[in-house]
Amino acid sequence: MLGSVVVSSEEIDGMIRRLASEIEADLEGRSPVFIGVLKGCVFFLTDLTRRIRHSLEIDFIQVSSYGASTTSSGSVVLVKDITVDVRDRDVYLVEDIVDTGTTLTDVIRLIEARHPRSIQVVSLLSKPSRRQVDVEIAFLGTEIEDLFVVGYGLDYAELYRNVPEIHVLETP
Ligand code: 5GP
């Protein structure tokens, strides 16, 4: 059941405008590939990249870490690989949320094996109090408390992704 709103649509919109301008300033002279980590990234990646006035490519990677559960399993399986050649490219890895950091660490390792020139993480949300592995988030929307949230791409058992704002999940 949806609980209270943690991040409103207006707040999401404001964060995306800010992140887009921060990223635009960083893009000078770069050859960017935006890689979204499926499926949670979809709304964020599409809204964000539409605000960036710079030539860029988009690709996706999918790993499985969470099943129908609200705690991280800590191990990652590659479900869908990227198809763009990222060698010598500047990768912006787009995540919905960084929780323990284990998923991101594994995804970064997978992409690093393809020899990009750089990898920077863009995440809408971060739960710093849950971190187990240190990961650098170059572009962050906002930090949230240790709550399980859904909406704007984030699911519980594949539901709630289409909810336009971010809510806490009550009694999953
Ligand atoms: P980590 O590996 O950092 O613990 O977890 C990252 C992944 O776990 C995210 O990409 C997301 O799919 C899922 N996740 C972590 N926290 C939440 C949350 O509060 N809500 C939802 N829906 N998924 C989460």
Side-chain angles (χ1 to χ4, degrees):
M1 202 176 72
L2 287 180
S4 58
V5 174
V6 178
V7 190
S8 69
S9 299
E10 293 72 25
E11 287 169 326
I12 292 171
D13 197 51
M15 282 175 208
I16 287 174
R17 285 167 191 269
R18 171 178 56 78
L19 289 171
S21 79
E22 287 173 15
I23 292 169
E24 264 179 359
D26 185 66
L27 280 172
E28 191 65 37
R30 291 202 199 257
S31 167
V33 184
F34 283 70
I35 299 180
V37 184
L38 290 172
K39 300 178 193 173
C41 72
V42 285
F43 299 99
F44 179 43
L45 182 134
T46 54
D47 286 345
L48 178 70
T49 52
R50 271 181 294 187
R51 294 217 168 265
I52 296 172
R53 297 284 174 189
H54 191 287
S55 129
L56 57 85
E57 288 178 40
I58 293 175
D59 202 354
F60 295 97
I61 191 166
Q62 187 172 9
V63 293
S64 72
S65 55
Y66 269 66
S69 148
T70 56
T71 53
S72 176
S73 66
S75 66
V76 154
V77 177
L78 184 62
V79 176
K80 187 227 166 282
D81 204 352
I82 52 171
T83 55
V84 167
D85 182 5
V86 297
R87 181 175 285 273
D88 299 326
R89 307 291 302 278
D90 296 297
V91 170
Y92 291 78
L93 193 57
V94 182
E95 260 281 21
D96 48 0
I97 187 164
V98 182
D99 185 23
T100 62
T102 55
T103 306
L104 204 50
T105 304
D106 287 3
V107 172
I108 289 170
R109 203 171 295 138
L110 285 167
I111 294 170
E112 266 172 354
R114 283 72 184 271
H115 309 289
R117 186 164 69 171
S118 65
I119 304 182
Q120 294 189 95
V121 174
V122 186
S123 186
L124 182 66
L125 304 175
S126 171
K127 291 194 257 188
S129 65
R130 295 257 310 156
R131 206 72 91 245
Q132 288 172 13
V133 193
D134 197 27
V135 281
E136 192 192 332
I137 305 174
F139 303 96
L140 176 65
T142 189
E143 292 183 349
I144 61 166
E145 288 172 48
D146 181 9
L147 301 166
F148 191 83
V149 291
V150 294
Y152 197 67
L154 289 151
D155 76 310
Y156 172 66
E158 295 300 329
L159 295 174
Y160 306 115
R161 292 194 198 277
N162 59 318
V163 173
E165 59 282 318
I166 294 166
H167 294 248
V168 66
L169 184 74
E170 267 175 14
T171 57

